[in-house]
Amino acid sequence: MATQTAAERREEARQRYNAYVATCPSRKLLDTLSDKWVSLALTALAGGPRRYSELARTIAGVSQKMLTQTLRTMERDGLVSRTVTPSVPVRVDYRLTPLGEDLMPLLEAIKRWAEIHMEDVEAARQAYDRRSGHRP
Amino acid sequence: MATQTAAERREEARQRYNAYVATCPSRKLLDTLSDKWVSLALTALAGGPRRYSELARTIAGVSQKMLTQTLRTMERDGLVSRTVTPSVPVRVDYRLTPLGEDLMPLLEAIKRWAEIHMEDVEAARQAYDRRSGHRP
DNA sequence: CAGCATCCTACGCGATACTG
DNA sequence: CAGTATCGCGTAGGATGCTG
């Protein structure tokens, strides 16, 4: 039963984190935004509704699995809506919901901060690497 | 050589993504912020300088490995500065740099959006789950 | 006290193949 | 076309034990 201890500790830690996340809206939001592809999908959809295949092409580099998964999550979160046109072959369009559109200004604020300050970050990184680089 | 193909494809995809990330400041910023603990550390440091052990206690739930790793990354990115007081035992303080402080309003904007809208997201989730719940 | 090195497991995600 | 199901690797990250 000693083997359980490790598992138990894991569970405990996970639950602590989950409990935290559950009560903290900003962490949940960050968890969402932080998802590699969510922000890209949002940006891609900002210009208007897009078909699945359009998104796949626009967000070049995303796997089909992740694209679907991302869109599903976003749909579940009420950020995008999914419309199926039962033609042959099927056509599926995604568009931002009002909630999703409401998120865009925030995303742009992030983008703006990044564009202004990321070169400072870059410089800091290089300085740091130079400093600690010579004693490995 | 057929075995290489998979690896090559992986490399290619990874490089596509990396190439993208490398050129896109906002993605880099999101990658940073999205880190589970960065935002928590920033928040913890917003109130002023903190010792390592204080941070460990404040951000309850973080492992020592992740705390150190997070602080290192943030230091490298120029968001926090690290001051060692060579007493016995050692004392290490972390504090926000101007750059780090400059990030706080953005973080607060995120928090604010979350507090306003996350209940909508929550509601959307429950509605979604109710809808798709009965046909597994 | 503040951290680094090691080990090991769970899970994210890409690749692949199959459906309506 | 727009997905779902399955497999397998890579790695993030927690646990543990050692240093100055």
Side-chain angles (χ1 to χ4, degrees):
Chain A
M1 307 208 170
T3 48
Q4 290 286 7
T5 311
E8 283 172 357
R9 293 213 176 254
R10 277 157 196 285
E11 262 324 284
E12 189 189 324
R14 172 164 295 272
Q15 285 183 6
R16 254 186 310 179
Y17 176 68
N18 285 342
Y20 183 76
V21 159
T23 57
C24 179
S26 28
R27 276 243 44 84
K28 290 198 279 189
L29 176 59
L30 274 171
D31 275 358
T32 300
L33 284 180
S34 73
D35 194 296
K36 261 197 183 79
W37 309 109
V38 166
S39 52
L40 295 176
L42 283 172
T43 309
L45 287 170
R50 295 274 183 273
R51 303 184 54 168
Y52 180 90
S53 47
E54 287 182 297
L55 290 173
R57 246 172 297 114
T58 305
I59 315 181
V62 69
S63 70
Q64 148 273 29
K65 177 180 179 178
M66 284 322 289
L67 180 56
T68 300
Q69 185 175 304
T70 301
L71 290 169
R72 279 294 171 289
T73 307
M74 291 169 70
E75 188 194 359
R76 188 171 106 96
D77 288 355
L79 298 177
V80 304
S81 65
R82 175 171 174 275
T83 317
V84 182
T85 310
S87 53
V88 182
V90 200
R91 172 196 177 107
V92 179
D93 288 87
Y94 291 88
R95 67 156 66 219
L96 291 183
T97 62
L99 186 60
E101 278 177 10
D102 210 70
L103 190 51
M104 291 308 298
L106 185 60
L107 201 58
E108 264 154 43
I110 293 173
K111 189 186 290 183
R112 216 172 311 118
W113 196 97
E115 274 158 7
I116 295 174
H117 297 287
M118 281 313 275
E119 55 186 274
D120 295 348
V121 170
E122 209 58 50
R125 279 184 197 173
Q126 290 181 11
Y128 182 92
D129 291 348
R130 225 174 302 119
R131 246 176 289 133
S132 53
H134 3 131
R135 29 172 183 187
Chain B
M1 307 191 176
T3 48
Q4 290 285 8
T5 312
E8 284 173 356
R9 292 211 177 256
R10 276 160 195 285
E11 263 323 286
E12 189 188 324
R14 173 165 294 271
Q15 286 183 6
R16 255 187 310 180
Y17 177 67
N18 285 342
Y20 183 77
V21 159
T23 56
C24 179
S26 27
R27 277 243 45 83
K28 290 198 277 189
L29 176 60
L30 274 171
D31 275 357
T32 300
L33 284 180
S34 74
D35 194 294
K36 260 197 184 78
W37 309 108
V38 167
S39 52
L40 295 176
L42 283 171
T43 308
L45 287 170
R50 295 276 182 272
R51 304 185 52 168
Y52 181 90
S53 47
E54 287 182 298
L55 290 173
R57 245 172 297 111
T58 305
I59 316 182
V62 70
S63 70
Q64 151 272 22
K65 177 181 178 177
M66 284 323 288
L67 180 55
T68 301
Q69 185 175 304
T70 301
L71 289 169
R72 278 296 170 290
T73 307
M74 290 169 71
E75 187 193 1
R76 188 171 105 98
D77 288 356
L79 298 177
V80 305
S81 65
R82 177 171 172 274
T83 316
V84 182
T85 309
S87 52
V88 181
V90 200
R91 172 197 177 105
V92 180
D93 288 88
Y94 291 88
R95 68 155 65 219
L96 291 182
T97 62
L99 186 59
E101 279 177 9
D102 211 69
L103 190 51
M104 292 306 299
L106 186 60
L107 201 59
E108 264 154 44
I110 293 172
K111 189 185 289 183
R112 215 171 313 118
W113 196 96
E115 275 159 5
I116 296 174
H117 296 288
M118 281 314 276
E119 55 185 271
D120 295 348
V121 170
E122 210 58 52
R125 279 184 195 172
Q126 290 181 11
Y128 182 93
D129 291 349
R130 224 174 302 118
R131 248 176 287 132
S132 52
H134 0 132
R135 25 163 189 193

